[in-house]
Amino acid sequence: MSASDFPGWHGTTIVGIRKGGKVVVAGDGQVSLGNTVIKGSARKVRRLSPGGSDVVCGFAGSTADAFSLLERLEAKLEATPGQLQRACVELAKDWRTDKYLQKLEAMLIVTDGRDLYVITGAGDVLEPEHDVAAIGSGGNYALAAARAMMDGDRDAEDIARTAMAIASDICVFTNGNLTVETIEA
């Protein structure tokens, strides 16, 4: 199959919710190739502990690319312990300027329980408005659903799980097989 015939890998919805002194990152497990579900139980949300500090990361895009970025983020966190923002900015600068990294196709949601960021290959380190971040194929659906629930009495995990359920009902590249990680400030 030539590169032009390759239908592309799709799948993944990741949402991050900051509420009530906690941040919850939830991600689905679907990986699709064209119209076919290749795997329904991929784990796209991970807990890192560089230098003893917990950080939760969710990724969308190419798994191999995301793992390369997570390894580099972990190295940046080890070099700047407890400074998530600085590590994220350093990763984004490398991603934007390094010719090898520029080809990586992934996005990350990263949190240490206090801060919540979306990191992109365009050099962005974005702190989301309204304490909700979402990426991936069903990200806009999860984002809209979560924002609609933020003013109510629901806690961060309930909002994340409900937003992901709504996204999986709408987006064919998202399923309901969730990995959920919670981290407190």
Side-chain angles (χ1 to χ4, degrees):
M1 178 179 293
S2 72
S4 63
D5 294 333
F6 186 75
W9 296 96
H10 290 284
T12 301
T13 299
I14 306 291
V15 67
I17 310 290
R18 181 175 42 208
K19 187 174 182 183
K22 296 180 185 177
V23 180
V24 174
V25 179
D28 77 313
Q30 184 166 313
V31 177
S32 304
L33 178 59
N35 295 333
T36 305
V37 175
I38 299 298
K39 184 173 183 176
S41 60
R43 191 167 165 261
K44 302 169 196 167
V45 176
R46 303 194 177 265
R47 187 176 292 265
L48 307 175
S49 296
S53 299
D54 277 350
V55 173
V56 173
C57 303
F59 62 86
S62 166
T63 303
D65 292 357
F67 282 159
S68 293
L69 292 167
L70 290 177
E71 286 175 8
R72 288 180 182 264
L73 176 61
E74 202 162 18
K76 299 290 183 190
L77 288 165
E78 287 172 358
T80 59
Q83 297 182 52
L84 180 63
Q85 182 180 33
R86 183 172 176 191
C88 291
V89 168
E90 291 299 319
L91 174 64
K93 285 191 322 192
D94 288 354
W95 194 355
R96 178 94 170 121
T97 59
D98 184 286
K99 292 217 182 279
Y100 165 74
L101 293 178
Q102 287 175 357
K103 295 177 182 167
L104 300 183
E105 296 181 4
M107 291 180 73
L108 304 174
I109 290 180
V110 181
T111 183
D112 60 1
R114 288 183 316 273
D115 297 312
L116 176 64
Y117 299 110
V118 175
I119 308 172
T120 75
D124 299 314
V125 178
L126 305 169
E127 189 167 10
E129 294 181 330
H130 312 289
D131 293 324
V132 179
I135 58 176
S137 300
N140 287 337
Y141 307 118
L143 178 68
R147 284 193 48 194
M149 293 182 272
M150 286 297 285
D151 290 334
D153 295 337
R154 293 173 170 218
D155 68 5
E157 184 171 343
D158 187 37
I159 292 170
R161 287 183 181 278
T162 303
M164 289 297 294
I166 290 168
S168 71
D169 283 347
I170 298 170
C171 179
V172 297
F173 298 113
T174 304
N175 71 16
N177 186 1
L178 301 183
T179 301
V180 179
E181 288 282 349
T182 302
I183 189 168
E184 295 187 27

